[in-house]
Amino acid sequence: MRRAGPRAPRRRHGTHSLRGKLTLTNVALLAVGIVVSTAVSLMGMGHYLLGQVDSQLLKTRQSIGGSGVTMRQVDSLAALALVRDRFVQPTSQRSRPDSVFTAVDGHGRAVPIAGFAPSDAQSALARAVGDPRALAADDVPHEVTVHGASYRTTAVRLRDGNYLLFATSTDGLHTGIGKALKLDLAVGTLLLALLVCLTMFSVRRRMRPLEDMVETSSAIAEGDLTRRVPSSHHPTQEVEQLRIALNSMLHQVESAYRTRERSAAQLRRFVADASHELRTPLAAIRGYLQLYDKGMLTEPAERRRAWDRVNAEADRMGRLVDELLTLARLDQRPELRLRNVDVSRLVRDAAGDLRAQQPERPVTVEAEGSVLVRADESGLRQVLGNLVTNVRVHTAAGVPVRLGVERAGRFVRLRVADKGPGLAEEDAARVFDRFFRTGSGAGSGLGLAIVQGVVEAHSGEVTVRTSPGEGLEVTVTLPTGPCEGPRERAEESPVPGARRR
């Protein structure tokens, strides 16, 4: 078989391939999801922890402010805490303590507590706060920086006009959030790497049917029309639907290609046969005209015989052309003029014509009553005429013939049978071929081909049953109602013992 097209290009699995794009898309979506989820979770955790610190500071401020203490009472209560901050804790930890507690006056200057001067952290906290009145009036703690460390601080006004400042370091909170961020990034990176591997493996397996389709298309492009896309072990619904649709399309393409090749071969054979059939009468007519032109037909009897032969060959050529035109119209599926036709009457008319042409032939008619079908009357008359002519031409005048019609459910069967010599099996297989003739070779070989074309135009079926010495029986099956599909009709009305054509 000839090559139908160029070979498909080799598959390349790069970033521009579907596999690469799917992998990059999945990785990008997961990366965005990890970033968004990490940001939301860390923001939520920071907000929650910061809320806990602020809540603790506000509770402390509320308890001290509600008790109505003075600076003298604060000195006695804070003496032990100040001793711990100054003498118990190491110096390295006193520079950046977790919490700072100091007292300031109305101008924001740090004042001694329990006789101890303010520490560096306390003085730095007082300077960072500035005006304690605004801090005491605000319901939300403020964030300040003391010695490079972040603190959440609030203030409470004592009964004697001084202020107490409370500050809690948030460095631990930020450090914890930073560690959580690093952990999330590490886990996210690992997940991305794992997703890349799993996506490539999964996409490769899921894309295998598409690769099979590419290979099948390449094979078909090279001329192998019998190739089909195989089914995968674990197909997805969409890919399986695509595979089934593609295989159906390939089957239709192969059938159309085979049909076109077969039709082209039939057309070439038909043209050759038609040319051969037309060549004989044309040669005879040309020969007689040349004889007449050269003056070789001197006798009146010779000229009369030549004239009759020319007319006979012209009539033969005219009939052949008419039959070819009939077949051409049938091939184009002409619109039939459907009406209710009494097939019994047509059978009786055909039998009467045969008796008139051959009075000595025994003719049996089985067509009682009225059998109606929805059909084209002229077409059915042509069918019966061709069948009767076939019997008259190919059998002796004394051979009996039987014409009959019967109703079988929604179908009507028309039979024309003779007791002639019959046909061999190989001849019976070609009896409906155009220009096929047996025996003496009488006729054009188009009669039964026209019968088959007319019957199929009525959504019917024509079959033959014959064997050497047993005669020939032709059965035409027609639907009684509107025309149906040939396949449906053939399934519902099989003809036992008949050979379908």
Side-chain angles (χ1 to χ4, degrees):
M1 186 178 296
R2 63 183 178 85
R3 299 173 69 91
R7 185 181 180 88
R10 177 181 294 180
R11 300 183 301 272
R12 296 179 180 177
H13 304 311
T15 56
H16 296 288
S17 65
L18 182 58
R19 179 185 300 180
K21 290 181 179 180
L22 288 176
T23 302
L24 291 178
T25 301
N26 289 343
V27 172
L29 290 177
L30 181 61
V32 171
I34 291 176
V35 171
V36 172
S37 62
T38 299
V40 172
S41 62
L42 293 181
M43 290 176 60
M45 182 176 67
H47 182 74
Y48 172 76
L49 295 177
L50 195 63
Q52 293 293 319
V53 172
D54 291 347
S55 177
Q56 188 64 33
L57 290 174
L58 292 176
K59 286 182 180 179
T60 302
R61 186 181 75 171
Q62 183 179 5
S63 61
I64 294 178
S67 60
V69 297
T70 61
M71 192 63 193
R72 183 181 298 275
Q73 294 172 331
V74 171
D75 288 341
S76 60
L77 293 175
L80 182 60
L82 291 175
V83 170
R84 183 197 64 185
D85 289 342
R86 288 178 174 272
F87 302 106
V88 177
Q89 290 183 342
T91 304
S92 59
Q93 294 184 1
R94 290 202 308 268
S95 61
R96 298 181 65 175
D98 292 337
S99 60
V100 179
F101 168 77
T102 186
V104 294
D105 57 15
H107 300 286
R109 295 187 295 269
V111 298
I113 299 178
F116 293 98
S119 64
D120 293 341
Q122 291 174 331
S123 298
L125 176 63
R127 290 193 298 271
V129 170
D131 186 9
R133 290 174 294 182
L135 185 61
D138 198 347
D139 294 335
V140 179
H142 294 184
E143 185 165 349
V144 296
T145 301
V146 178
H147 292 165
S150 297
Y151 285 83
R152 298 289 292 181
T153 181
T154 187
V156 59
R157 187 175 184 279
L158 301 179
R159 192 166 57 181
D160 56 5
N162 292 319
Y163 292 88
L164 291 180
L165 301 181
F166 308 96
T168 300
S169 175
T170 58
D171 279 351
L173 184 149
H174 294 310
T175 301
I177 293 177
K179 291 181 179 180
L181 176 62
K182 293 179 181 179
L183 179 61
D184 289 344
L185 291 178
V187 173
T189 303
L190 180 62
L191 288 176
L192 286 177
L194 183 61
L195 177 66
V196 170
C197 297
L198 293 179
T199 301
M200 292 182 65
F201 174 76
S202 177
V203 171
R204 180 179 180 182
R205 190 180 68 173
R206 298 299 181 186
M207 294 291 290
R208 181 63 58 84
L210 298 182
E211 295 177 358
D212 294 338
M213 294 179 189
V214 174
E215 294 179 359
T216 302
S217 301
S218 301
I220 292 176
E222 293 176 355
D224 186 6
L225 298 180
T226 60
R227 286 287 297 271
R228 296 294 183 269
V229 181
S231 178
S232 59
H233 297 289
H234 304 286
T236 58
Q237 181 179 2
E238 293 79 4
V239 174
E240 184 67 10
Q241 291 176 349
L242 178 60
R243 184 190 70 84
I244 295 175
L246 183 59
N247 283 342
S248 299
M249 183 192 68
L250 293 178
H251 177 73
Q252 295 295 332
V253 170
E254 181 185 7
S255 299
Y257 180 80
R258 304 295 184 195
T259 302
R260 188 187 68 176
E261 292 293 323
R262 186 167 55 252
S263 299
Q266 291 177 350
L267 178 61
R268 289 191 296 268
R269 186 170 63 251
F270 177 77
V271 172
D273 293 339
S275 301
H276 177 74
E277 293 293 331
L278 291 173
R279 184 185 305 165
T280 301
L282 285 175
I285 293 174
R286 185 183 296 112
Y288 283 111
L289 291 177
Q290 289 176 355
L291 292 175
Y292 180 81
D293 184 59
K294 293 179 180 181
M296 299 178 65
L297 302 176
T298 58
E299 299 295 331
E302 292 178 350
R303 290 196 296 269
R304 183 63 185 176
R305 185 170 62 86
W307 178 256
D308 292 340
R309 290 290 299 150
V310 169
N311 285 333
E313 295 298 334
D315 292 341
R316 176 185 173 188
M317 188 167 55
R319 288 193 301 272
L320 182 61
V321 171
D322 290 339
E323 291 176 345
L324 291 176
L325 290 176
T326 300
L327 287 174
R329 286 194 296 268
L330 291 175
D331 290 339
Q332 295 176 358
R333 298 182 180 273
E335 183 178 355
L336 302 177
R337 291 175 294 181
L338 300 179
R339 48 178 287 187
N340 290 329
V341 179
D342 186 0
V343 184
S344 297
R345 179 173 58 85
L346 299 185
V347 170
R348 292 191 293 268
D349 292 345
D353 295 340
L354 182 58
R355 290 191 184 101
Q357 294 171 350
Q358 293 181 332
E360 68 278 11
R361 181 185 295 271
V363 179
T364 303
V365 180
E366 299 175 356
E368 300 297 334
S370 177
V371 179
L372 298 179
V373 295
R374 190 74 175 171
D376 185 271
E377 183 175 354
S378 62
L380 293 188
R381 286 189 180 276
Q382 188 173 19
V383 168
L384 283 169
N386 286 6
L387 293 179
V388 171
T389 301
N390 186 67
V391 173
R392 179 171 53 83
V393 171
H394 293 284
T395 62
V399 174
V401 62
R402 177 171 54 86
L403 286 78
V405 62
E406 64 178 359
R407 184 184 298 275
R410 297 190 298 112
F411 301 93
V412 171
R413 292 194 179 100
L414 171 65
R415 290 188 177 90
V416 177
D418 61 70
K419 297 297 182 179
L423 298 175
E425 183 177 357
E426 59 272 12
D427 292 336
R430 299 184 55 195
V431 72
F432 294 109
D433 292 348
R434 297 176 182 182
F435 297 107
F436 176 74
R437 288 176 294 189
T438 61
S440 61
S444 63
L446 297 176
L448 291 183
I450 294 176
V451 170
Q452 186 184 44
V454 174
V455 172
E456 288 183 351
H458 285 79
S459 298
E461 181 184 21
V462 55
T463 58
V464 297
R465 184 170 60 186
T466 183
S467 60
E470 297 295 332
L472 175 69
E473 179 181 307
V474 181
T475 302
V476 174
T477 304
L478 297 172
T480 58
C483 295
E484 305 169 358
R487 180 174 301 177
E488 177 185 353
R489 187 253 326 127
E491 292 177 353
E492 296 185 5
S493 60
V495 180
R499 182 178 291 104
R500 293 185 60 186
R501 289 292 301 163

